[in-house]
Amino acid sequence: MEEKPSASIKPYLDKLTLGVTRILETSPGVTEVAFVEKEPAERHTIISWEQKNSCMLPEDLKNFYLMTDGFQMTWSVKTDDTPMPLGSMVINSVSKLCRLGGSSMYTLPNAPTLADLEDDTDEEGNGDKPEKPHFDSRSLIFELDPCNGNGKVCLVYKHTKPVVSPDTEIWFLDRALYWHFLTKTFTAYYRLLITHLGLPQWQYAFTSYGVSPQAKQWFNMYKPITINTALLSEEADSFVNKLDPNKVFKSKNKTPVIKKKPPSQPAGSQKSHMSMTSSKTSSLAGNSSRKRDPQI
């Protein structure tokens, strides 16, 4: 059930959600569309965050926080009359806009950090490929969306020396700690978040390997408002290991030989049969010995 917004945010609710609430409520099988109300962030909270991290928030993100301190909308689908959580749209609040890769005073002196993953041989941006963020002091990285454990959407300041540049970008960090560029501005990313309906793993649509087969099924059922149709029409073989069953199971293709079990016989008849067989064998042996003896 959708929570009732307060009077301060109600006039902006439809614009804030881009009308996606009505779209979800009229979709088949969708239930429990919930928008979590959040009060606007106080200006001194934003200033305090900027002073603590020695950088300025982008103007569009700052205006967003001054309207609502974070964003959360979820929806479920009904399977066997039981709601199952599916869609999730999250923007962390100012207090949860935490830095990634920064050293903590509580870590051990020699404990490994994300900065240890830096490799100078990584390909840098050239032409149409932007330069990737760095976990070390060359970049400032803040978590915008935890993506339900499927990765992290991050606000990235890529140039920090000699001072932090106000230019920011939105990047997706997958579970293998590879970077994927999403948008240049927070506003553009927010539109992507809403128009993809918060479907599971939707950020992977902007990676070279795409969404998983399970996520693609949800994409086909609840199509995002804007989506690359080539993503859904892609061959399923590209997501599955290509195995030749004739080669893998070559030794198992032979037709099994069915052995017929001889009919069971009574114990008495079996003994008589064995005695007759042994007597015939002894008689044959005696005859053969007579034929070979010239004196008989």
Side-chain angles (χ1 to χ4, degrees):
M1 182 180 296
E2 186 175 354
E3 298 185 12
K4 294 182 179 180
S6 62
S8 60
I9 199 174
K10 186 174 181 179
Y12 309 103
L13 179 59
D14 194 56
K15 293 182 179 179
L16 185 64
T17 61
L18 302 182
V20 74
T21 306
R22 295 193 303 271
I23 296 175
L24 288 171
E25 289 175 342
T26 56
S27 299
V30 174
T31 182
E32 296 185 356
V33 180
F35 174 77
V36 179
E37 175 194 347
K38 294 180 180 292
E39 294 294 330
E42 297 182 0
R43 191 173 295 272
H44 72 83
T45 304
I46 297 176
I47 296 175
S48 176
W49 184 94
E50 292 176 335
Q51 292 176 345
K52 175 184 175 181
N53 295 282
S54 303
C55 59
M56 301 291 292
L57 278 177
E59 202 64 29
D60 54 355
L61 181 55
K62 186 182 299 185
N63 292 333
F64 178 82
Y65 280 137
L66 290 174
M67 184 168 55
T68 171
D69 188 11
F71 179 85
Q72 183 175 354
M73 177 183 287
T74 58
W75 54 278
S76 304
V77 292
K78 186 174 289 188
T79 57
D80 297 332
D81 296 331
T82 302
M84 182 186 72
L86 185 65
S88 177
M89 293 165 263
V90 174
I91 300 293
N92 282 339
S93 62
V94 176
S95 61
K96 293 184 178 180
L97 193 61
C98 301
R99 183 182 174 186
L100 295 183
S103 60
S104 174
M105 60 182 298
Y106 300 105
T107 58
L108 296 175
N110 296 325
T113 63
L114 288 175
D116 295 326
L117 300 175
E118 287 296 331
D119 187 359
D120 293 336
T121 60
D122 287 347
E123 295 182 2
E124 297 297 340
N126 50 17
D128 56 343
K129 292 185 178 181
E131 179 185 354
K132 295 180 180 179
H134 299 280
F135 290 114
D136 56 20
S137 59
R138 287 174 288 180
S139 301
L140 287 178
I141 305 167
F142 301 95
E143 179 184 316
L144 273 176
D145 183 357
C147 304
N148 283 334
N150 294 315
K152 294 181 184 296
V153 172
C154 300
L155 174 71
V156 177
Y157 297 79
K158 289 198 299 185
H159 305 289
T160 61
K161 296 180 180 180
V163 293
V164 179
S165 171
D167 298 330
T168 58
E169 294 175 348
I170 309 297
W171 287 72
F172 174 60
L173 180 66
D174 65 20
R175 288 177 58 88
L177 300 182
Y178 285 101
W179 287 106
H180 309 276
F181 176 76
L182 292 180
T183 64
K184 285 185 173 295
T185 64
F186 168 77
T187 302
Y189 168 72
Y190 179 76
R191 289 172 179 168
L192 285 180
L193 174 67
I194 296 296
T195 55
H196 281 83
L197 308 178
L199 286 166
Q201 304 176 19
W202 71 265
Q203 295 88 354
Y204 283 88
F206 296 86
T207 65
S208 58
Y209 31 86
V211 299
S212 66
Q214 293 83 2
K216 184 180 288 189
Q217 293 178 355
W218 293 117
F219 270 65
N220 283 315
M221 186 173 296
Y222 300 102
K223 289 183 173 58
I225 301 172
T226 57
I227 184 64
N228 183 7
T229 55
L231 174 70
L232 301 181
S233 62
E234 209 170 357
E235 293 293 335
D237 292 342
S238 61
F239 294 88
V240 183
N241 291 333
K242 297 181 180 180
L243 299 177
D244 187 354
N246 295 325
K247 293 181 180 180
V248 176
F249 304 105
K250 187 175 182 181
S251 60
K252 297 184 180 181
N253 287 338
K254 296 180 181 179
T255 304
V257 179
I258 303 175
K259 295 182 180 180
K260 294 183 178 180
K261 187 178 181 180
S264 59
Q265 297 180 353
S269 62
Q270 186 174 2
K271 288 182 179 179
S272 62
H273 177 72
M274 292 177 64
S275 61
M276 291 175 63
T277 304
S278 60
S279 62
K280 287 181 181 181
T281 305
S282 59
S283 62
L284 289 174
N287 292 334
S288 60
S289 62
R290 292 190 184 96
K291 290 180 181 180
R292 292 179 183 177
D293 190 354
Q295 296 178 359
I296 298 178

